[in-house]
Amino acid sequence: MGSFRNRVVAGSAVAAVLAFAATSASAGDYSSTIFFGDSLTDSGTFRSVVPTGGKFTTNPGPVWAENVASAYGKSATPAVSGGTDYAVGGARVSQLPGVPATAPTATATPVRTQITNYLASTGGRADPNALYSVWGGANDIFAALASPSTAQAAITQAATDLVGEVARLRAAGAKTILVPTLPDIGLTPFGQAQGATAAAQITQLVSGYNQLVTLGLGNAGVSVIPIDTYSLLRDAVANPASYGFSNVTGTACTTSSSLLCTSSTLATSTAAQSYLFADGVHPTTAGHRAISDFVLNALSAPGNVARLAESPLHTRDRVMTLVQAQAAANLWTRKTGESGAWIVGGGGRLTFDRQGDQAGARGTPLNLSVGVDKRFTDNLLVGVAGTISHYRGAFSTGGDYKQREYVASAYGLYRVDGLYVSGVGSFGFANFDLRRGVTINGTDHSTGGSTEGINASFALETGYEFSAGGLTHGPLLGLRYQHVSVEGFSEDSSLFGFTYREQRRNALVGSVGYQVAYDAGSVRPFAKVTLSREFSSAERSITVESRSVSTLPYSMTVAKGDRGWLNATAGATVRLADAVTGTLGIDARLAQQRTRDFGAYAGVSVGF
């Protein structure tokens, strides 16, 4: 390690060692992005020293921290320039000197001090709405390699210190903390150059360090988002083409260190995109893109899966609206004591806009309902119905999910003069098939799984109708409740997939509105407008576990949907023949910021 290249490589190894990884984001609207670590995360601390380069990569390409920050509309400017990227090339977890112990990395600010400096700037409290990353320890391993007799004790202490710093950040108020594992330094060009035996020993030290950090965080009960760059690097080296790399053994830069590397000092003109490593341990621009993709996958996955508990609220609302409209039509057409059967089909468009880390989704809900009912008296109609519904939502980030639901409903409508009360109670089982789009450095690594769920709901509506000839009109009040439960499941990829715990979604919605109808003999057109509001404002979260890193599960807050909207329904009931009527209608949710939901239905009813 006599040359500057070897010293920087060894010293910043932590930062670059891991060069890959995975997918694009979607979860919360973070107030800022804050990074702590070494050369892998350093976005340009040494630019004043090396103005033609300045980052440990194929300059001027961005490092993964810059990519992630940009995905959320933030920046990762170095802290020395007034930004929120505190990482410094060569930094160890808590010790000095940095690695290598020569300028400019000898005085690299340790991760512990980086966090101290950040908390000092905020009065000791961490912003709970920010996204944090703590990635350190590789340089401690490089330092330990120089003293084999104390290596194990040194990395044990470094792992303990890192756990302590993450816990300190958490205790100060940080909620969303990324903790990447160290990459397998033994597989890097630097590691391989040491010989097979030495490379295996380096791999063993890295693996031991990662296990100590993981166990330490778990035993301390510190919830973090683990990023398994160790497994990612191994998979990229074993299968380079599947990550878009053509070279995973050589170095893209011809300079002594990637810190000095520029577009004019590359091994080939395309090396920044085709090579995995810039120098002995640091990733290229493409390598950093893989890492940021991998991080964004971990952040976006929970929000995407949260859609499984949101779309049933809309498809069930559609069913209850349809059943209530059919009940009103049948009370108008049925004779007292007459029974009947009906069938109604509907379709529409349901679109969720992307919110932070929650992907948008768009699809066409379809439903088919059949029912039987009886008008027991002049004022009372009671019936039961069965519905099959289907929705396929295409994610804005790639992939889709299919929702199939089987619903049983009981309904009734009672009128006394102008006063009426209508009610629907429903229970259904749902099947979900999910495929999440995962893109790593432009290559597809999609993953998915299947699960089941239930939805129990009821809808009540009451109002008063004034009559004037064939015209009826009046105000109404409504109340709807839904309980959705989606069972936990695991995705099929052990590296890019996750295990999700059961998620629940409860919605209590009140509405006030006005409706009008006109009896023209053989045709009865109607219209209804309601202003609706969901009463609950509580945040919902998804609990997730990494499939490749054994650690405590972590929870991600799901973006809130619209709490208020305007509903508009219009249609007509038509007497087609004696005891045969047709019904058609359209309905839409209006004035929503994040969701667009509209549909149409048509059906026929036969009395007997």
Side-chain angles (χ1 to χ4, degrees):
M1 293 216 215
S3 69
F4 181 75
R5 174 183 183 278
N6 287 339
R7 294 195 305 272
V8 172
V9 165
S12 293
V14 35
V17 193
L18 238 236
F20 12 78
T23 206
S24 160
S26 138
D29 292 320
Y30 302 110
S31 57
S32 62
T33 50
I34 303 169
F35 303 91
F36 307 102
D38 49 39
S39 58
L40 185 58
T41 308
D42 187 344
S43 59
T45 299
F46 302 127
R47 279 176 182 160
S48 61
V49 179
V50 190
T52 58
K55 292 184 286 187
F56 296 83
T57 185
T58 45
N59 292 282
V63 298
W64 76 273
E66 293 175 288
N67 292 333
V68 170
S70 177
Y72 296 106
K74 312 300 179 184
S75 62
T77 303
V80 294
S81 300
T84 57
D85 189 341
Y86 291 80
V88 181
R92 297 167 66 183
V93 174
S94 61
Q95 303 297 308
L96 281 170
V99 178
T102 56
T105 54
T107 58
T109 308
V111 173
R112 171 177 290 172
T113 307
Q114 294 170 22
I115 294 175
T116 296
N117 292 343
Y118 163 69
L119 293 177
S121 71
T122 62
R125 294 298 300 168
D127 180 357
N129 299 314
L131 172 65
Y132 298 85
S133 174
V134 181
W135 194 357
N139 287 316
D140 291 274
I141 287 181
F142 278 93
L145 291 176
S147 303
S149 62
T150 59
Q152 188 59 55
I155 67 167
T156 298
Q157 187 61 55
T160 301
D161 290 345
L162 189 78
V163 170
E165 292 311 306
V166 174
R168 178 162 69 112
L169 191 60
R170 182 79 178 183
K175 290 183 177 180
T176 308
I177 308 174
L178 303 169
V179 179
T181 59
L182 294 187
D184 186 354
I185 300 172
L187 283 182
T188 65
F190 167 83
Q192 292 296 295
Q194 310 309 307
T197 300
Q201 292 174 342
I202 294 172
T203 294
Q204 185 176 11
L205 286 175
V206 171
S207 179
Y209 175 87
N210 288 336
Q211 291 179 31
L212 288 170
V213 171
T214 298
L215 291 174
L217 291 170
N219 291 337
V222 180
S223 178
V224 302
I225 302 175
I227 305 297
D228 191 9
T229 49
Y230 178 89
S231 296
L232 182 63
L233 173 63
R234 294 180 66 87
D235 197 46
V237 170
N239 306 286
S242 67
Y243 290 88
F245 298 114
S246 61
N247 190 315
V248 294
T249 58
T251 60
C253 300
T254 59
T255 53
S256 59
S257 166
S258 60
L259 184 64
L260 307 173
C261 186
T262 67
S263 57
S264 63
T265 61
L266 297 176
T268 70
S269 60
T270 62
Q273 301 300 328
S274 59
Y275 280 58
L276 173 56
F277 295 102
D279 58 20
V281 293
H282 298 98
T284 58
T285 298
H288 274 290
R289 171 56 64 187
I291 295 172
S292 59
D293 285 344
F294 196 53
V295 169
L296 292 174
N297 178 52
L299 291 170
S300 67
N304 288 19
V305 173
R307 291 296 184 204
L308 273 59
E310 292 294 330
S311 56
L313 299 178
H314 293 260
T315 55
R316 179 61 61 85
D317 259 352
R318 193 178 300 276
V319 171
M320 292 190 292
T321 295
L322 184 154
V323 171
Q324 285 183 307
Q326 190 63 50
N330 290 348
L331 186 64
W332 177 63
T333 58
R334 297 265 191 272
K335 299 175 181 178
T336 300
E338 184 180 46
S339 299
W342 54 270
I343 181 169
V344 177
R349 194 67 167 170
L350 174 58
T351 302
F352 299 98
D353 288 340
R354 181 169 180 168
Q355 288 178 261
D357 263 341
Q358 191 167 9
R362 174 182 295 181
T364 301
L366 302 173
N367 56 73
L368 180 67
S369 299
V370 296
V372 294
D373 52 33
K374 181 175 182 179
R375 184 173 180 176
F376 286 92
T377 69
D378 288 347
N379 302 322
L380 177 65
L381 180 137
V382 176
V384 294
T387 302
I388 299 175
S389 68
H390 177 272
Y391 175 70
R392 179 175 180 175
F395 288 125
S396 60
T397 51
D400 58 28
Y401 69 101
K402 299 175 184 177
Q403 169 193 314
R404 295 176 298 277
E405 193 171 14
Y406 308 91
V407 186
S409 303
Y411 60 93
L413 175 59
Y414 183 76
R415 290 184 182 273
V416 178
D417 296 325
L419 181 68
Y420 74 91
V421 178
S422 173
V424 180
S426 303
F427 183 86
F429 296 94
N431 297 321
F432 301 93
D433 294 315
L434 169 81
R435 200 69 188 167
R436 274 194 316 107
V438 179
T439 302
I440 307 299
N441 192 36
T443 61
D444 181 54
H445 294 270
S446 297
T447 183
S450 300
T451 187
E452 299 177 341
I454 61 169
N455 185 348
S457 62
F458 70 80
L460 295 175
E461 184 177 291
T462 184
Y464 192 87
E465 295 182 334
F466 301 97
S467 298
L471 179 68
T472 59
H473 61 95
L476 61 91
L477 293 173
L479 186 68
R480 293 190 177 193
Y481 173 78
Q482 292 193 57
H483 168 77
V484 178
S485 176
V486 179
E487 294 181 4
F489 69 101
S490 293
E491 292 177 310
D492 50 28
S493 170
S494 61
L495 181 55
F496 304 105
F498 300 87
T499 294
Y500 306 90
R501 300 287 181 87
E502 178 188 18
Q503 55 172 311
R504 297 182 179 183
R505 174 74 161 90
N506 297 315
L508 180 63
V509 177
S511 59
V512 58
Y514 208 86
Q515 62 182 350
V516 61
Y518 184 75
D519 188 347
S522 61
V523 180
R524 182 177 180 269
F526 60 88
K528 177 193 297 185
V529 176
T530 59
L531 181 63
S532 300
R533 183 169 180 81
E534 183 174 349
F535 294 124
S536 175
S537 60
E539 290 186 336
R540 188 166 72 90
S541 60
I542 303 293
T543 301
V544 183
E545 293 179 72
S546 168
R547 290 205 59 201
S548 61
V549 179
S550 178
T551 186
L552 289 177
Y554 60 93
S555 295
M556 295 285 288
T557 299
V558 176
K560 295 180 180 178
D562 295 300
R563 291 192 61 198
W565 60 89
L566 191 68
N567 256 103
T569 302
T573 301
V574 183
R575 296 183 190 274
L576 301 175
D578 185 32
V580 180
T581 59
T583 303
L584 54 85
I586 58 173
D587 61 88
R589 286 193 181 191
L590 307 173
Q592 294 192 111
Q593 294 181 337
R594 307 177 183 93
T595 308
R596 289 172 296 285
D597 185 3
F598 62 89
Y601 59 89
V604 63
S605 176
V606 179
F608 49 80

